[in-house]
Amino acid sequence: MRELRSLPKAHLHLHFTGSMSIASLQYLADLAGKPLPDFLIDENGLLVPFNERGWFRFQRLYDMARSVVTSEAAMRFIVAQAARDDAAEGSRRLELQVDPSTYAPFVGGLAPAIEIILDEAARASAETGVQVAIIVAASRVRHPLDARTIARLAARHTGENGVVAFGLSNNERSGTTADWEPAFRIARQAGLPGVPHGGELLGPRHVRQVVEHLQPARLGHGVRAAEDPRLLDDLVAAGVALELCPTSNVHLGVYQHQSDVPLRQLVDAGATVALGADDPLLFLSRLTDQYQLARDELGFSDDELADLARSSISASLASESDKATWLAEVDAWLAE
Ligand SMILES: [Zn+2]
């Protein structure tokens, strides 16, 4: 049994605030002088029923966590800590997703918020050796016009150490997908691939809408494409990778048990799957835990786990030469 922490991999689905540990959250709460309620989460992590009320409980806790991030120092701390945590788990490339609008009021606007995060990502990359890239994401619970503003800003921050993709996060059930089409067009025209959420809380019909209107390079989750073999074939043919977060799926009630997550079905259909942690703060489960789950609950062999790691690297937005280096490191891991 090879060590999964040392398996070289890329981490493509991790949210800024949600990346924290409880200890980090406590530290930031102290820094902001805002005591945290004891009930924030229990020792098993958030576990909610699969309905709107469940989602709103998730959202409430998330907002509570966000409320302690009220300074540049706090923002830098989160990026640096996410990089260190990923480094300890064999991650070579972290694509961290952030909605800058929440933090903008504390640092003088959206542009400074993005610039602080990009600057810290470059610093943390140098410190940890993990390549930290930033995905700027709009939120489904805000007006689609806000998304266009964020997309324009992201478009102005591309290039070296710049934003690498444009996302759409928060409640998948909220709003009409077509309304975000202009924002994704702005991003695409600036060379930023779309990586919106879709196919976790809602099923194949919604995934088709996301594909049609937002033209994603990758889908945040997309796990429920497994419910429609034709859709799955279309995604495979179009080369749309799936950022799968099995623990998140179970904690948000999409599947009852870890063994119900259709990871094997997706892989068998030829999908490019990248495992991600989504929100370790609320689910108490990090990147390597997703690979452990594949091994323990779904019977993935070391060869198959190496393939998952290769998939994550291929689906990343890193340079081809960096990908080649890391893929060779996966071969070395398997040869041990
Ligand atoms: Zn997510």
Side-chain angles (χ1 to χ4, degrees):
M1 284 275 206
R2 294 171 183 82
E3 181 67 60
L4 290 177
R5 287 174 81 85
S6 59
L7 170 61
K9 40 181 117 55
H11 196 182
L12 310 184
H13 199 107
L14 183 70
H15 294 274
F16 181 74
T17 312
S19 71
M20 279 191 278
S21 64
I22 304 279
S24 293
L25 182 67
Q26 191 62 62
Y27 168 77
L28 291 184
D30 292 345
L31 199 70
K34 287 187 183 174
L36 284 176
D38 297 335
F39 63 84
L40 190 63
I41 39 178
D42 69 32
E43 61 185 15
N44 298 313
L46 175 78
L47 199 59
V48 299
F50 186 62
N51 56 32
E52 284 282 0
R53 275 182 57 200
W55 175 265
F56 284 126
R57 181 165 149 68
F58 167 78
Q59 202 53 52
R60 231 177 8 256
L61 293 178
Y62 212 98
D63 288 344
M64 218 174 275
R66 271 204 278 244
S67 75
V68 306
V69 187
T70 55
S71 66
E72 176 174 342
M75 291 169 71
R76 288 186 180 274
F77 174 83
I78 290 174
V79 176
Q81 196 57 45
R84 288 178 199 132
D85 289 340
D86 252 50
E89 296 195 87
S91 169
R92 301 298 197 267
R93 164 101 175 174
L94 167 61
E95 297 185 2
L96 185 65
Q97 189 160 155
V98 61
D99 169 6
S101 34
T102 318
Y103 316 102
F106 305 106
V107 293
L110 281 171
I114 291 178
E115 282 152 21
I116 288 165
I117 288 166
L118 288 174
D119 183 65
E120 186 61 30
R123 202 206 57 77
S125 300
E127 178 202 309
T128 62
V130 177
Q131 214 173 68
V132 184
I134 299 299
I135 296 167
V136 166
S139 169
R140 269 190 176 267
V141 299
R142 291 176 191 266
H143 197 281
L145 283 176
D146 292 344
R148 290 192 216 180
T149 304
I150 293 174
R152 275 190 211 99
L153 222 73
R156 284 211 297 273
H157 290 83
T158 56
E160 200 180 348
N161 296 328
V163 176
V164 298
F166 184 66
L168 183 62
S169 57
N170 214 308
N171 194 352
E172 209 183 316
R173 298 181 179 106
S174 177
T176 305
T177 299
D179 291 347
W180 281 280
E181 191 170 315
F184 277 79
R185 195 179 312 123
I186 291 166
R188 234 179 5 260
Q189 282 168 355
L192 294 175
V195 292
H197 282 60
E200 184 186 35
L201 302 181
L202 295 178
R205 223 181 117 237
H206 185 240
V207 173
R208 286 193 188 281
Q209 289 167 359
V210 169
V211 169
E212 180 189 342
H213 296 291
L214 311 184
Q215 299 182 29
R218 298 195 308 242
L219 275 171
H221 299 290
V223 62
R224 292 184 59 193
E227 294 166 20
D228 181 343
R230 256 189 60 199
L231 169 65
L232 186 51
D233 285 346
D234 290 348
L235 292 173
V236 171
V240 177
L242 309 178
E243 302 161 4
L244 231 69
C245 307
T247 306
S248 165
N249 298 158
V250 173
H251 282 250
L252 293 178
V254 183
Y255 303 107
Q256 288 257 270
H257 303 288
Q258 295 179 335
S259 56
D260 298 333
V261 178
L263 171 63
R264 188 171 283 287
Q265 192 190 335
L266 296 169
V267 168
D268 286 348
T272 301
V273 170
L275 295 179
D278 210 4
D279 295 295
L281 175 64
L282 299 176
F283 308 139
L284 305 186
S285 176
R286 302 203 63 92
L287 178 58
T288 303
D289 296 321
Q290 313 311 309
Y291 287 82
Q292 193 71 48
L293 182 155
R295 176 186 267 172
D296 296 345
E297 300 292 331
L298 304 171
F300 275 64
S301 67
D302 283 5
D303 273 310
E304 292 170 325
L305 292 162
D307 277 340
L308 282 174
R310 289 186 187 107
S311 258
S312 73
I313 291 166
S314 306
S316 80
L317 298 163
S319 73
E320 290 308 317
S321 67
D322 285 335
K323 287 184 188 181
T325 304
W326 304 327
L327 290 171
E329 290 172 354
V330 174
D331 294 344
W333 177 84
L334 204 54
E336 264 168 30

